[in-house]
Amino acid sequence: MAGPTTEFWQERFEKKETGWDRGAVSPQLIAWLDANELAPCRIAVPGCGSGWEVAELVKRGFDVVAIDYTAAAIERTHAHLLSKGLTAEVIQANVLNFQPAEPFDAIYEQTCLCAIHPDHWAEYAGQLRRWLKPEGMLFAAFMQMVRGPAVEQGLIVGPPYHCDINAMRALFTESNWAWPKPPFAKVPHPNGGHELAFPLKRR
């Protein structure tokens, strides 16, 4: 399998090299929740990391299934939930072969796609569609991080991998997903990049 291994991510957590972690809930998730664009339902959070968004969703009445590849992330999510007196289903699994017991109403995708090697993006996009009920919603925040070696030499650089909007349109095709009209929300990230955030509806 191309790209980072679970050992790679475990080491990053152990060394506290977690530049993707804001240390707080994503402001875009808060915006969607406060606007009631994302209302309580059965929701998946792939690549749950330290569990900031998982806890926020549980607190607001969602039935949350949190998924991560790495033991350290699972431990952090459990600990964060415990510190808030909250509970959720937290599963250590590879998102490329995980199958839920029942489909989800929504998925919150923030840091998972950009952590997966692009060779596996199509497989992951297919998984997301399979996880959702018809007309289920994918609330996506796609990482924008253009790097010189990628643009100038064609190298695959990451993680995080740059989620170019043209690549996202090819990955989440209009035949399978209903796209909103741009411009999309630009969400600054402490790693120096930003995310483009918008909801997609499964056809």
Side-chain angles (χ1 to χ4, degrees):
M1 176 176 167
T5 63
T6 187
E7 292 80 14
F8 169 87
W9 292 115
Q10 184 73 21
E11 184 178 0
R12 293 286 294 272
F13 276 106
E14 289 173 356
K15 291 183 175 179
K16 300 186 180 351
E17 296 173 355
T18 53
W20 66 86
D21 191 334
R22 282 186 169 90
V25 182
S26 166
Q28 185 58 44
L29 178 61
I30 296 294
W32 278 326
L33 292 169
D34 287 350
N36 207 37
E37 291 181 55
L38 177 54
C41 63
R42 175 172 160 78
I43 189 168
V45 182
C48 61
S50 296
W52 301 104
E53 288 75 25
V54 175
E56 184 67 24
L57 289 164
V58 173
K59 185 177 77 173
R60 298 208 189 203
F62 288 76
D63 176 12
V64 183
V65 176
I67 308 152
D68 208 288
Y69 194 32
T70 303
I74 298 301
E75 291 164 9
R76 284 196 181 196
T77 296
H78 275 304
H80 186 58
L81 288 166
L82 183 63
S83 74
K84 302 288 185 182
L86 302 170
T87 59
E89 186 176 0
V90 183
I91 300 170
Q92 184 176 357
N94 184 338
V95 294
L96 300 180
N97 52 42
F98 171 75
Q99 292 302 325
E102 57 183 290
F104 296 104
D105 302 298
I107 298 169
Y108 178 70
E109 158 55 57
Q110 178 186 323
T111 57
C112 197
L113 180 69
C114 69
I116 296 172
H117 191 280
D119 282 358
H120 303 291
W121 279 4
E123 187 178 357
Y124 178 57
Q127 282 283 81
L128 296 179
R129 189 169 186 274
R130 283 188 289 273
W131 293 356
L132 282 172
K133 295 177 179 178
E135 299 194 349
M137 298 297 298
L138 173 62
F139 288 85
F142 292 133
M143 177 57 67
Q144 305 300 296
M145 186 167 280
V146 179
R147 295 180 178 90
V151 175
E152 296 164 12
Q153 301 174 48
L155 300 179
I156 298 174
V157 184
Y161 300 101
H162 173 53
C163 299
D164 173 75
I165 195 63
N166 297 312
M168 297 303 98
R169 293 294 306 225
L171 199 61
F172 298 93
T173 61
E174 185 68 37
S175 60
N176 287 330
W177 302 88
W179 279 69
K181 290 184 179 180
F184 304 131
K186 179 181 178 180
V187 188
H189 196 282
N191 67 7
H194 68 274
E195 295 154 334
L196 290 178
F198 48 90
L200 297 174
K201 180 185 285 189
R202 181 196 188 278
R203 295 191 191 274

